[in-house]
């Protein structure tokens, strides 16, 4: 009888200390502040130009990204990303892959210009010199791996064209001395495509 009372007392103390974890049952149940260690996707041998591995996930429920670029009223471009099945991670997020979460890298002609934790970005005009350029948004997991579907990175590319005004050698002399950005028809709303920008 004493043994039964002692066991009941011990169980009551365990319950007050936080369940099985309070009684030294180990970390089998984990804690609320940790991320599940279950694998997310499959790491494949493909890498981006910075040597980051692709994390391949199934098409159903996979992250998606679209990119729209418009010239702003001054010297530059307004970039807006539209995402599906994806959330931007705040600064300070642990470097652990979580399904549908992470950041976006923005590239101009294969050169990284920004790492984004939000869907809006102002692209400075001096990053887009005269001519046609490819602007790509690619999604990354919090551990730095590239989100991919069937071995292709989750990204979207838009083409933009910038024409410098005020050139002394040009036949026309516009009143504005700032570069005049224009958008190619493809940039109105780019469709996702799998193009890996070439490193320069």
């Amino acid at each position: 009888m004493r043994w039964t009372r002692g066991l009941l007392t011990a169980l009551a103390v365990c319950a007050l200390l936080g369940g099985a974890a309070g009684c030294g049952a180990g970390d089998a149940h984990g804690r609320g502040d940790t991320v599940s260690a279950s694998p997310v996707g499959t790491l494949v041998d493909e890498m981006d130009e910075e040597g980051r591995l692709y994390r391949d996930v199934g098409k159903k429920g996979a992250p998606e990204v679209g990119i729209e670029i418009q010239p702003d009223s001054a010297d530059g471009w307004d970039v807006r990303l539209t995402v599906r099945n994806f959330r931007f991670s705040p600064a300070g997020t642990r470097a652990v892959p979580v399904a549908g979460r992470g950041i976006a890298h923005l590239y101009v002609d294969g050169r990284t210009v920004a790492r984004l934790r939000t869907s809006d970005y102002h692209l400075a005009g001096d990053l887009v010199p005269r001519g046609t350029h490819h602007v790509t948004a690619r999604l990354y997991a919090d551990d730095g791996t590239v989100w991919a579907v069937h071995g292709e990175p989750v990204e979207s590319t838009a083409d933009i064209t910038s024409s410098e005004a005020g050139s002394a050698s040009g036949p026309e002399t516009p009143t504005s001395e700032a570069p005049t950005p224009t958008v190619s028809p493809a940039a109105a709303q780019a469709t996702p495509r799998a193009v890996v920008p070439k490193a320069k």
Side-chain angles (χ1 to χ4, degrees):
M1 189 73 157
R2 271 189 213 160
W3 181 82
T4 306
R5 281 188 201 154
L7 179 63
L8 290 175
T9 303
L11 289 175
V13 169
C14 284
L16 290 173
L17 291 177
C23 295
D27 293 330
H29 297 286
R31 296 180 184 265
D33 61 348
T34 61
V35 176
S36 171
S38 61
V40 178
T42 304
L43 291 178
V44 295
D45 290 336
E46 296 292 322
M47 289 188 232
D48 71 358
E49 58 280 347
E50 296 173 342
R52 298 173 187 265
L53 289 172
Y54 286 11
R55 182 173 295 280
D56 206 65
V57 294
K59 186 170 183 173
K60 184 177 180 182
E64 296 176 25
V65 62
I67 185 170
E68 293 181 37
I69 306 174
Q70 296 294 330
D72 67 10
S73 58
D75 173 28
W77 305 82
D78 290 326
V79 178
R80 176 174 290 268
L81 305 182
T82 53
V83 294
R84 242 180 112 188
N85 303 321
F86 186 80
R87 285 183 304 133
F88 288 99
S89 297
T93 300
R94 290 180 51 207
V96 175
V98 175
R101 200 172 81 182
I103 66 172
H105 289 202
L106 193 67
Y107 299 88
V108 174
D109 297 330
R111 186 182 78 245
T112 307
V113 295
R115 288 175 172 81
L116 307 178
R117 295 185 181 276
T118 181
S119 59
D120 295 316
Y121 181 73
H122 177 77
L123 182 61
D126 60 355
L127 294 175
V128 187
R130 183 175 185 167
T132 299
H133 303 277
H134 308 293
V135 181
T136 300
R138 185 182 302 149
L139 300 183
Y140 287 77
D142 290 321
D143 66 345
T145 54
V146 182
W147 287 117
V149 176
H150 301 304
E152 300 293 343
V154 176
E155 63 182 30
S156 183
T157 299
D159 295 334
I160 59 175
T161 302
S162 176
S163 57
E164 290 182 9
S167 173
S169 60
E172 298 178 14
T173 310
T175 54
S176 170
E177 292 184 5
T180 306
T182 58
V183 179
S184 68
Q189 184 166 6
T191 55
R193 62 179 183 170
V195 175
V196 180
K198 293 184 176 130
K200 298 221 174 195

